[in-house]
Amino acid sequence: MTRGTLWLPAVACGVAVGNVYFPQAVTPLVAEGLRLPVDRAALVVTAAQIGYACGIFLLVPLGDRVPYRPLLATLFAVTGLGLATAGLAPSFGPLLAAGVAVGVTTVIAPIIGPMVAGMVAPAARGAASGTMLAGSIGGMLLARTFGGALGEWLGWRAPYLVAAGLAVVMAVALWRTLPVTKPHTLQSYPDLLLEPLRLLRSEPELRRSCLYQAMIFGAFSAVWGSVALLLTGPSYGYGAQAVGLLALVNAATMAATPIAGRVVDRRGSDPVNLVCMIAVIGSAVVLAFATAGGTGGLVALVLGTLVLDVAMQCGMVANSIRMYALSDTHRGRLNTAYMTCAYLGGAVGSWLGVRAYTTFGWHGVCGLVVLMAAVALARHAVAVRSRSRSRA
């Protein structure tokens, strides 16, 4: 693949990933529309992320076993059906179940990432991965922005129904344009499911990447899973659209990830990981001032989430390249282990973030961010010390 042909898979990543993130902007609207406590309505976010983690484990390994074109088109089509079901759900129970189902099937980006990595030259792998991640980031940002705006205008069901239509369009586009590919393996499906667990056991560098991303993505999800409660609460009193506008301000992350990919290509993953971990802790310090409200609080919120977003996404590029370097024939199964751990961390972070907010307020969320980043930083220090001893 050339740089000019990467745009469609990047857009597909954005559309698919957006299905996990737009519920973050409409949580208050779901609570109002279904007459629920806001912390219970926030479970739609956790449900999508848990479903996504399950889908990564159950479906992403098929990227090594099934040709990409029929696999990706089918997943998009089924995702569209699940989104339509969620948009028409009569009560919270069916909405929650449909949200889990959507999370399971919208795992297109973790399949496209290994696909693209295998279709470009090794020296360009970091830049290509950064481009795919930039597409995913665009989906995250725009999903929150338009989800919040559309939900304010037409109600919480509208974002689900519009997302359903986009999923069907992408299913047709990928079916018509992706090249015919051959499977990387003929292993049985049970063996494919066990392979990521074997890789986690045998590859220490994979385990390290998984821990880093689980902690940092958990911190990221803690903030974005609870920021709607802050913005719609007494400190600001905004509507759901404000969450989307805040996400749109952070569009700079789309430019940062390709740069991070090129830095990783030149200097390796560890320096980028270290900077990202320190930046996450710094973002929590800045975010703590968001409780002041007013212009100063908004400035702190914008700067803090911007630093957090850039750090999380650049760290993901670094971790992905470390992981892809482990094998040329097991990328789908490596990515399964990695992304499953990442989104389990994200689901835990979302749940803990809402609990921290309802118990300790916004400062509790910031403290949780510091704690999770500190765990990753401590593991990084151990890895650096071990490497220094082996060289000595």
Side-chain angles (χ1 to χ4, degrees):
M1 298 186 76
T2 65
R3 184 174 297 181
T5 60
L6 291 175
W7 69 270
L8 180 61
V11 170
C13 287
V15 172
V17 169
N19 296 328
V20 182
Y21 289 95
F22 76 78
Q24 293 177 345
V26 300
T27 293
L29 300 176
V30 171
E32 181 182 352
L34 296 179
R35 299 178 181 179
L36 299 169
V38 71
D39 58 338
R40 188 180 178 204
L43 289 175
V44 298
V45 178
T46 304
Q49 291 183 332
I50 290 175
Y52 200 74
C54 293
I56 290 168
F57 182 76
L58 295 172
L59 299 179
V60 170
L62 292 176
D64 287 336
R65 180 67 175 81
V66 179
Y68 288 116
R69 184 170 68 177
L71 177 61
L72 293 171
T74 300
L75 288 176
F76 258 127
V78 178
T79 297
L81 179 61
L83 288 164
T85 302
L88 299 173
S91 60
F92 185 65
L95 172 62
L96 204 63
V100 173
V102 168
V104 170
T105 57
T106 195
V107 289
I108 284 87
I111 296 174
I112 287 179
M115 178 189 77
V116 170
M119 293 181 177
V120 298
R125 202 166 280 161
S129 296
T131 300
M132 294 304 103
L133 191 53
S136 297
I137 295 167
M140 292 166 56
L141 298 177
L142 294 176
R144 294 193 195 109
T145 301
F146 289 107
L150 193 62
E152 287 269 333
W153 182 32
L154 297 175
W156 68 266
R157 298 179 187 275
Y160 283 96
L161 297 176
V162 170
L166 288 175
V168 173
V169 169
M170 289 308 307
V172 174
L174 291 177
W175 179 262
R176 292 176 61 88
T177 58
L178 284 182
V180 176
T181 57
K182 294 182 179 179
H184 296 301
T185 180
L186 296 178
Q187 280 184 289
S188 66
Y189 180 64
D191 285 342
L192 285 174
L193 290 183
L194 291 174
E195 188 69 17
L197 300 177
R198 297 191 190 104
L199 289 169
L200 273 172
R201 184 178 61 186
S202 63
E203 298 286 355
E205 289 297 274
L206 174 61
R207 293 197 299 271
R208 187 156 68 97
S209 293
C210 289
L211 177 65
Y212 288 174
Q213 198 59 32
M215 291 297 103
I216 300 305
F217 188 57
F220 170 88
S221 298
V223 170
W224 282 104
S226 55
V227 73
L229 307 181
L230 175 67
L231 287 173
T232 58
S235 296
Y236 292 95
Y238 293 141
Q241 189 174 358
V243 181
L245 293 176
L246 176 64
L248 192 60
V249 170
N250 294 336
T253 52
M254 295 179 66
T257 50
I259 296 173
R262 288 191 286 272
V263 173
V264 173
D265 285 337
R266 292 195 302 268
R267 303 190 60 183
S269 295
D270 281 353
V272 175
N273 278 135
L274 177 60
V275 171
C276 292
M277 292 168 191
I278 294 172
V280 170
I281 294 175
S283 74
V285 176
V286 176
L287 285 169
F289 292 96
T291 56
T295 303
L298 279 176
V299 170
L301 196 59
V302 169
L303 290 178
T305 54
L306 177 60
V307 173
L308 177 65
D309 284 19
V310 170
M312 191 279 289
Q313 302 291 358
C314 292
M316 180 173 279
V317 173
N319 292 323
S320 297
I321 300 308
R322 181 190 295 110
M323 170 195 60
Y324 289 147
L326 296 175
S327 173
D328 289 333
T329 59
H330 291 67
R331 291 194 190 99
R333 285 155 284 180
L334 287 165
N335 206 34
T336 296
Y338 170 68
M339 294 299 290
T340 300
C341 292
Y343 272 88
L344 284 175
V348 171
S350 291
W351 186 81
L352 289 177
V354 173
R355 295 301 174 276
Y357 184 87
T358 56
T359 305
F360 302 107
W362 183 248
H363 286 159
V365 177
C366 296
L368 177 62
V369 170
V370 171
L371 177 62
M372 299 187 85
V375 171
L377 191 59
R379 177 63 182 89
H380 185 74
V382 171
V384 171
R385 189 180 303 114
S386 299
R387 192 178 301 113
S388 298
R389 289 177 178 174
S390 64
R391 288 174 180 172

